[in-house]
Amino acid sequence: MATKLHAANSLRGMYRNLLAIQEVTTAGTFNSAYTSQSIQIPVGNGIIATPVFPVSVTNYYFHAECAASGTNQNNSSGAPWLQLLDSAGTVVFKLVYSSLGNIIAQYWNGSGYTNSGSTFLAPWFTTGLALSAIDLNVVCGASGSWTLSVAGSPLASGSIASASVDNIARLYLGNLSQQPMQWSQIKGADYDHSTEPLMFSELNGDSAANAGQLSGTYADLDTVPINDSTFVAIGTSGNKAGFTHTGITIPGGYYMSAMCLGAKMRRTSTISDGLFGVRSGSTNADGAALGMVGGYDVFNDMLDTDPVTSALWTQSTFNAAEPYLGAV
Amino acid sequence: MSKLVFAGASSELPNTGSTSNSPGIPGTQDVGGVLLAAVMTQDNQVHSCATAGWNLVGQYNGTGLTLSVWWAAAGAAAPTFTWTSSVANVAQVVYFRSEWDNPVAVTPVGTPGSASIGSSSTHTSTGVTGVGDQDVVILIDTTLSNAALTTPSGWTYVADQGGGPSFGNQHITFCSKLINAGSASGSTSSAGGSSNWVTIQLELIQDLAPANELQISALEVNAWLTGTAPPASGRRRQGAIVC
């Protein structure tokens, strides 16, 4: 059974380590058919990260679109651009800077990192503001392998010969310092999803059904500039705050595969936890408690079907559904 | 934005031979702030503190010296630390204020990492894991030499205090690191006093809650499309980082 692991088109579904990281709408840094923005990691060694995956996998497929604002990315040798972590938090595979505009793959051998495959010139560092659709497949284990494709064509590959590459449970994306780096269409799964786009839907406002339980304004959910000191809040356990969102038009030839929710949030004081939910028709469907621990975390919820009807999503049911967040 | 920010340190000089040390506390404090004290004595004296509100984090013995770490909520009285034999000692209190508007105090100090000890001029420390997003980790270094620790790469100098050599050299150094990626502070290695030393890292927990709320700073909705009609599975997948 195919499992979707993470999905984000904006910083609202990604953890970031620098306040300077922002969303940008510069033409050429994202595909406007599917989203209105990309995540920009500024010059420096900033990182954006997914949540820990709901399950760790041994065969991981990553897809994203990226662009660099300029050419000839440069950094100190070994600076990471993409990192995969196992369930223990060890970086088990990474793509790192090698030389001007070049990258090399490395895997964890239990005590250090072993180069894998040949150094390759990354086209997104030589073109500037031109989107590159990247697909990476990593197979864990002593007989593992990796393959990186750009626009569907293989670019680089190598073998993994270490059982210390045991599983993959989280993704870090970085920059290589000299030019800002943009990311969108960031998805991961345990199957090849290279031809499955992620369509962004903007928030509109309060859900009619789950309204009046939220303090703050929707401007506080804006992530430009990023500021975790502004937020909307639910002040009572058991209350829910619902959100309407813009309708999407599915391009011809595509079907709905999942509703993907991402949120960065925290709980305080006697609020013990939080949850995602979806209101479909006139029914609320709570998700499981998320296991929040106090500080800001980023969470994903990937709903393959409408949780109220268990039916496959359609354009109309997706557009009518109102995701909500609940205080436990 | 870190919710705990360094805002001052005590300045009393080290004592050259006594059974107690009263380092004072720095300046004005606000609700929600945290006072952190480090006490070093020669030998492995057992440290105590009878001042109300002061809590022992732990005591860590090196060779010929010992370090104890204490915390108190802002507003606590200036502490007096005691032990049994008259030995050289140094103590310092640092204060971290809360940036919350209306903080509610909880235990602000996490489980410390493993103490490291040594005797060379290269001082190392063991990192702590499971650190919360935007939390501050404190590195405390103490040595039987009157030399501050060179601030490790990626860390920020906070304060130091030392003296000697009439009754033996001693020095304490505080450094801090804001954890804004991942959840581990990492080990350190930097130059320090060329004598016996003890280091410890500990987390100052940021979760001084401003309210009883679920606070949402970002929310995103996406549709994952596919080129073929997917089979119904009825599953949902949730993921979260613990940072």
Side-chain angles (χ1 to χ4, degrees), chain B residues 99-185:
Chain B
E99 292 196 338
W100 287 119
D101 292 334
N102 184 28
V104 176
V106 295
T107 301
V109 179
T111 303
S114 300
S116 298
I117 65 173
S119 59
S120 73
S121 60
T122 299
H123 296 202
T124 61
S125 71
T126 304
V128 291
T129 57
V131 181
D133 180 17
Q134 304 294 309
D135 274 3
V136 172
V137 174
I138 304 298
L139 164 63
I140 302 172
D141 173 275
T142 186
T143 179
L144 291 174
S145 170
N146 188 14
L149 180 73
T150 299
T151 305
S153 176
W155 291 70
T156 300
Y157 168 82
V158 171
D160 73 295
Q161 185 70 267
S166 60
F167 203 82
N169 292 308
Q170 59 272 319
H171 215 102
I172 287 174
T173 306
F174 293 83
C175 298
S176 69
K177 185 177 188 179
L178 176 64
I179 304 301
N180 53 19
S183 58
S185 62

Side-chain angles (χ1 to χ4, degrees), chain A residues 48-138:
Chain A
I48 55 175
T50 67
V52 172
F53 303 160
V55 293
S56 59
V57 296
T58 56
N59 190 357
Y60 172 67
Y61 291 83
F62 165 71
H63 175 88
E65 294 183 356
C66 70
S69 294
T71 59
N72 297 326
Q73 286 275 318
N74 200 357
N75 206 325
S76 57
S77 180
W81 181 72
L82 180 150
Q83 300 174 84
L84 299 178
L85 289 70
D86 68 8
S87 55
T90 301
V91 175
V92 294
F93 179 87
K94 56 185 177 180
L95 298 174
V96 304
Y97 175 77
S98 173
S99 59
L100 192 63
N102 285 277
I103 283 177
I104 191 164
Q106 296 179 335
Y107 65 83
W108 176 244
N109 61 25
S111 60
Y113 288 94
T114 300
N115 288 342
S116 176
S118 302
T119 296
F120 60 91
L121 184 64
W124 49 92
F125 293 152
T126 61
T127 52
L129 284 185
L131 279 177
S132 291
I134 295 172
D135 285 284
L136 173 68
N137 175 221
V138 176

Side-chain angles (χ1 to χ4, degrees), chain B residues 186-205:
Chain B
S187 59
T188 66
S189 178
S190 65
S194 185
S195 186
N196 296 338
W197 50 265
V198 178
T199 64
I200 188 76
Q201 289 189 31
L202 55 88
E203 174 190 9
L204 294 185
I205 297 173

Side-chain angles (χ1 to χ4, degrees), chain A residues 2 9 17 266 268 270 301, chain B residues 100 211-212 215 220 235-236:
Chain A
N9 253 323
N17 76 326
R266 65 184 170 191
T268 66
T270 61
D301 195 359
Chain B
W100 287 119
N212 183 35
Q215 299 171 343
E220 174 176 3
R235 294 178 309 157
R236 58 192 303 152

Side-chain angles (χ1 to χ4, degrees), chain A residues 2 9 12-13 15 17 54 196-197 199 201 232 234 255 257-258 260 262 264-266 268 270 297 299 301-302, chain B residues 100 180 211-226 230 233 235-241 243:
Chain A
N9 253 323
R12 299 163 206 182
Y15 171 84
N17 76 326
E196 300 182 352
M199 182 163 271
S201 179
V232 295
I234 305 170
Y255 299 85
S257 181
C260 306
K264 190 173 189 186
M265 51 191 174
R266 65 184 170 191
T268 66
T270 61
D297 292 345
F299 300 86
D301 195 359
M302 320 287 275
Chain B
W100 287 119
N180 53 19
N212 183 35
E213 293 176 337
L214 178 71
Q215 299 171 343
I216 308 147
S217 72
L219 177 64
E220 174 176 3
V221 182
N222 280 293
W224 188 314
L225 307 181
T226 181
S233 66
R235 294 178 309 157
R236 58 192 303 152
R237 299 287 178 184
Q238 294 176 330
I241 62 170
C243 57

